Amino acid sequence: MTGSKILVVDDQPRSFELIQKSLQSEFEIDLVDGPAKAWACLTEDPDYAVIVSDLHMPLVDGVKFLATVKNRYPSITRIIMTADGDQDAAVNAVNEGEVFRFLQKPVSIDGLRAVMHAGLAHHRSLDVETNVLEETLEGSIQLLVDLLKKLRPLAFDRSRRIKRLVSAVCAELGVPDRWDLQAAAMLSQIGCLSLPEDLLKSIFAGKNVGATKEMQFNQHVTFGESLIENIPRMEAIRRLVSWQRKHFDELRLLATSERDLTAASILSACLAYDRKVMSGDSPEDAIEEMQRSPKQFQGRMVEALATIVISTKTIKELGVWELRDGMELKSDLSDQHGSLLVPRGRTLTHDTIQKLQRRGATIEEPIVVTVAEPQFDRANSAE
C-alpha cells in the first residue's frame, strides 16, 4: 500500500491499540509513543501519507513536532489530536504545522475512520498537484538550459561537466543523486547569460583576466539566482545556486539540514575543482590544493573527487576521427596555422566533434585528451 501508510504518534498508545486492531483491515497504521520513535520510522521509510499526532506530549508538543514534519516532509497530511478545547493551541497548530484536521479525544472508531479517509484523499490530491507542478518546473528548467546552450555554449558545456562530476561524487559517497542537486548543477552557470562572450572565453580558457573582470564574472551567481527565484518550487535549487561559491565553514551555518549541507558541499567542491583545472592546474595539483583548505572544502567531498578524477582518467593522444563525446582536452586544440579552436579543459560534445571533423586535415594532431575509465562512465550514464 505504497503512499497510503498512516503514522499515529501518542505518548499513551494503549488507548489506540484497540482502534488500530479495528481498522487494520482498512488502513496500514504504525503506532508509536513519541516523536523520537516517529522520526525513526520516517527516516527508515518516509513514504507515509498521513501523520496523526497528540497535542500534549512530553519534551516536544504536537504542534512543534508537526511543524518540523511540515518542513522536512511537506507532502504528508498532518492531523492533530487534543483532549481539550484549547483554542490557542488550535491556532498555533494551523499557523505552525498547517494541520489538515483536528480530532477531539476520546476518539471514536467511526470518527477516526472518517478522518483517516479524508487525510488519505487529501494526500492523493496533493500528489496530483505536485506532479503537475513538477512537470511545469522541469519545463522551466529545460527552457533555461536550452537558452544557455544557445546563447552561451561555453557556460553550457561547463554546466554539463559539473553535472557529471556531481553525479560521480554522489555515487562515490553513496548518497542519493538528488534531482534538485542535478538541476542546480545545470543552472549553476545560468547567470553567465549576463556576461559578454569574450569574458567567458577568457575565463574558461584559464586566462588571468584581472581583479575587476574576475569580480564581474563572479556576479553571474547573483544574476543566476535572480533568474530563478520567482519560479515556483525552485527554493531548494535557488539556495544551491546562490551558495555555489560559499566555503564549507559558511555552508555549515547556512544549511538547515545535513542533507542540504551535503548537497551544497558537493556542488561547491565540484565547481571549485573545475575552475582550478580550467586555470591550468593538473587534477592532482587541484586536489592537493583543496586538501590544504579544510575550511573551504569538506574533506570527504575532496577525497571523493580525488578518487574520481585522479584514478579514473587516462591521458591519450588521438586523431580527430577518434574523438568521442565526453573526452576532455588536456591541451589547447589548434589548427595547423596555430589558431586556437578549442581551449584546454573543455569537455568535447557531439556538436564540437562534428565541427572539428569537418575541418579534417587542418587540425593539428595528435590531440591530447583525458578519457574517463568505466567508474566515471557509470556515473555519466545516469544523465
Side-chain angles (χ1 to χ4, degrees), residues 352-367:
T352 302
I353 293 170
Q354 281 193 327
K355 291 177 182 177
L356 293 172
Q357 289 175 344
R358 282 198 290 267
R359 298 180 70 103
T362 67
I363 301 294
E364 184 68 28
E365 295 181 342
I367 301 167

Side-chain angles (χ1 to χ4, degrees), residues 7-17 20 30-41 52-54 56-60 65 81 105:
L7 181 62
V8 177
V9 188
D10 191 343
D11 63 322
Q12 297 178 329
R14 288 189 178 182
S15 61
F16 263 87
E17 288 175 355
Q20 182 185 27
D30 291 332
L31 181 59
V32 296
D33 62 4
K37 291 184 179 179
W39 288 125
C41 289
V52 182
S53 175
D54 191 18
H56 297 297
M57 294 183 291
L59 301 180
V60 180
F65 169 65
M81 302 177 292
K105 283 186 171 182

Side-chain angles (χ1 to χ4, degrees), residues 112-143:
L112 186 59
R113 176 187 288 112
V115 168
M116 285 184 172
H117 276 301
L120 289 173
H122 180 255
H123 178 76
R124 287 192 293 270
S125 69
L126 288 179
D127 270 353
V128 171
E129 180 183 352
T130 297
N131 289 337
V132 172
L133 287 171
E134 285 181 353
E135 289 176 4
T136 303
L137 182 57
E138 288 175 3
S140 300
I141 292 172
Q142 190 59 53
L143 179 63

Side-chain angles (χ1 to χ4, degrees), residues 154 197-209 213:
L154 292 175
E197 184 73 7
D198 288 347
L199 174 60
L200 293 178
K201 285 181 179 178
S202 297
I203 291 283
F204 294 155
K207 295 180 179 178
N208 186 347
V209 296
K213 289 190 175 181

Side-chain angles (χ1 to χ4, degrees), residues 23 27 100-101 108-120:
L23 297 178
F27 306 101
F100 171 65
R101 289 283 174 85
S108 69
I109 292 177
D110 288 340
L112 186 59
R113 176 187 288 112
V115 168
M116 285 184 172
H117 276 301
L120 289 173

Side-chain angles (χ1 to χ4, degrees), residues 159-357:
S159 68
R160 288 182 72 234
R161 191 164 63 244
I162 298 305
K163 183 182 177 184
R164 285 195 289 267
L165 269 178
V166 163
S167 286
V169 170
C170 286
E172 180 65 26
L173 292 173
V175 301
D177 195 359
R178 291 167 41 176
W179 178 84
D180 56 348
L181 177 54
Q182 287 293 303
M186 286 304 296
L187 293 177
S188 64
Q189 307 301 298
I190 193 65
C192 291
L193 289 170
S194 66
L195 301 176
E197 184 73 7
D198 288 347
L199 174 60
L200 293 178
K201 285 181 179 178
S202 297
I203 291 283
F204 294 155
K207 295 180 179 178
N208 186 347
V209 296
T212 301
K213 289 190 175 181
E214 187 68 35
M215 289 178 61
Q216 182 185 0
F217 171 71
N218 290 336
Q219 286 301 309
H220 83 84
V221 176
T222 303
F223 184 74
E225 181 185 6
S226 71
L227 283 178
I228 62 179
E229 65 179 350
N230 293 320
I231 301 176
R233 298 176 63 85
M234 288 276 277
E235 179 59 27
I237 298 170
R238 182 200 64 77
R239 282 198 304 269
L240 291 172
V241 170
S242 68
W243 293 348
Q244 63 181 274
R245 298 190 69 252
K246 300 291 185 184
H247 293 175
F248 177 56
D249 275 5
E250 297 174 282
L251 293 174
R252 290 167 64 183
L253 299 175
L254 291 169
T256 57
S257 69
E258 187 65 29
R259 184 173 181 268
D260 285 349
L261 176 60
T262 296
S265 299
I266 290 173
L267 182 60
S268 173
C270 289
L271 282 160
Y273 166 80
D274 184 73
R275 182 66 194 275
K276 292 178 187 300
V277 173
M278 283 197 309
S279 298
D281 288 356
S282 68
E284 293 80 4
D285 289 343
I287 292 296
E288 185 178 344
E289 184 178 347
M290 293 174 73
Q291 288 172 331
R292 291 197 299 265
S293 307
K295 292 185 177 181
Q296 294 186 43
F297 308 107
Q298 190 175 13
R300 67 189 187 111
M301 306 305 170
V302 180
E303 294 308 313
L305 269 172
T307 301
I308 294 159
V309 301
I310 295 176
S311 65
T312 65
K313 284 190 173 182
T314 56
I315 299 174
K316 294 186 177 181
E317 295 183 351
L318 304 175
V320 68
W321 294 100
E322 297 175 285
L323 299 178
R324 296 293 180 268
D325 190 20
M327 292 180 175
E328 184 177 308
L329 287 177
K330 183 69 174 174
S331 59
D332 292 340
L333 195 158
S334 305
D335 63 17
Q336 292 178 344
H337 300 292
S339 299
L340 178 64
L341 300 177
V342 187
R344 70 181 182 280
R346 282 280 297 275
T347 299
L348 296 175
T349 64
H350 178 72
D351 291 343
T352 302
I353 293 170
Q354 281 193 327
K355 291 177 182 177
L356 293 172
Q357 289 175 344

